[in-house]
Amino acid sequence: MMDRFFYAPPESFSDSGEVLLPPDESKHAVKVLRLGVGDEMMVVDGQGFAAQVEIMDADRTAVHGRILSTYTNLGEPPLKLTIGLSLLNRERRYHVFLEKAVELGVTSIIPMMCARTQFKGDWREDRGIHVMKAAMKQCQRSRFPELHRLTSFENSVKEGSLIADHRADLSISEVINPSDDDLRILVGPEGGFTDDERTLAISRGAITVNLGRNRLRAETAAICCATIAMISRMSHL
């Protein structure tokens, strides 16, 4: 039953204890998973609410069910983790990052424009959201990570931010405090951050960190940062 995860916006849940799946989710439930009356599923609203639901009516356009039990922040991590990653030269590579970030428990994602960003074209936020929703259901989370508007690096840097930089003396594992509840890590584009960007970050109280000896692709570096942060926090529990 726990493998049957579906998304419905908050307004789909009624005060009478029932829920109506959106058309695309209903189609997937009936046509792909072959669910019908009496079957159970988990429905999340993307804001931390989850409900175990028994199907009352089902067709390819609408699945209607009654709530059996509810949960709060089902599948959510104990760490508030923000990852900022520059847009990349290929949108597909950025979607890989979005998918893995959601699976790893990242709670906030900042698409960034940096001095060396090579992305050409229009940033399609709707495509990113589609990838993230699928990942949320895949990893059985109940809260949809915040996807920020496209933001400049300058406006993304805050005091205490960790800046991925292969030239940094300190490793990310040395800097991360396992007891931290709120962490922001920023990763640059294919060419990395410029000297001016590093100087700006340090002047604002950010800390540069390296991820090891190997040079990583930008999306790999961002995924690596999320993994290290989550493992560090979970080991402290």
Side-chain angles (χ1 to χ4, degrees), residues 65-85:
R66 65 183 182 91
I67 296 174
L68 303 177
S69 56
T70 61
Y71 308 86
T72 301
N73 287 328
L74 181 70
E76 293 304 306
L79 171 65
K80 181 181 178 183
L81 176 60
T82 297
I83 299 288
L85 173 64

Side-chain angles (χ1 to χ4, degrees), residues 4-220:
R4 302 168 179 173
F5 253 68
F6 297 89
Y7 165 77
E11 59 269 22
S12 297
F13 295 81
S14 71
D15 294 336
S16 61
E18 297 179 357
V19 62
L20 182 66
L21 291 188
D24 57 336
E25 294 287 85
S26 296
K27 182 178 179 180
H28 182 72
V30 174
K31 187 175 181 179
V32 178
L33 298 182
R34 306 293 184 184
L35 299 183
V37 175
D39 288 327
E40 294 182 11
M41 58 186 176
M42 191 69 71
V43 184
V44 299
D45 72 348
Q47 297 186 13
F49 177 80
Q52 183 178 343
V53 175
E54 180 184 6
I55 296 176
M56 300 165 59
D57 301 292
D59 59 43
R60 293 185 180 183
T61 60
V63 171
H64 181 213
R66 65 183 182 91
I67 296 174
L68 303 177
S69 56
T70 61
Y71 308 86
T72 301
N73 287 328
L74 181 70
E76 293 304 306
L79 171 65
K80 181 181 178 183
L81 176 60
T82 297
I83 299 288
L85 173 64
S86 164
L87 294 186
L88 306 176
N89 59 0
R90 294 184 181 179
E91 190 178 48
R92 178 182 59 83
R93 289 172 53 199
Y94 206 91
H95 288 171
V96 170
F97 156 69
L98 291 177
E99 178 184 74
K100 303 311 174 187
V102 175
E103 291 180 9
L104 288 167
V106 173
T107 53
S108 182
I109 296 169
I110 307 174
M112 295 191 303
M113 287 296 293
C114 302
R116 291 176 175 157
T117 297
Q118 299 177 26
F119 181 81
K120 296 179 180 180
D122 296 325
W123 164 242
R124 290 287 302 276
E125 183 177 304
D126 58 327
R127 291 177 180 173
I129 289 174
H130 178 76
V131 170
M132 292 170 65
K133 282 184 178 178
M136 178 183 70
K137 293 186 292 180
Q138 167 66 32
C139 65
Q140 301 186 352
R141 291 181 63 178
S142 57
R143 189 176 291 278
F144 188 74
E146 179 182 8
L147 181 62
H148 291 251
R149 295 284 184 91
L150 183 59
T151 308
S152 67
F153 174 72
E154 180 180 2
N155 290 331
S156 302
V157 180
K158 293 184 177 182
E159 182 177 359
S161 299
L162 303 187
I163 309 298
D165 178 9
H166 70 278
R167 298 185 301 184
D169 294 326
L170 295 174
S171 70
I172 187 171
S173 57
E174 291 179 288
V175 174
I176 289 180
N177 186 340
S179 63
D180 284 342
D181 293 322
D182 194 345
L183 187 62
R184 175 176 291 220
I185 308 174
L186 305 181
V187 179
E190 288 85 347
F193 293 116
T194 65
D195 289 339
D196 286 344
E197 287 172 330
R198 293 187 187 93
T199 300
L200 170 66
I202 292 172
S203 72
R204 292 188 176 178
I207 304 170
T208 58
V209 295
N210 72 67
L211 307 181
R213 297 177 60 183
N214 294 347
R215 293 292 295 272
L216 305 176
R217 282 183 176 271
E219 72 273 22
T220 306

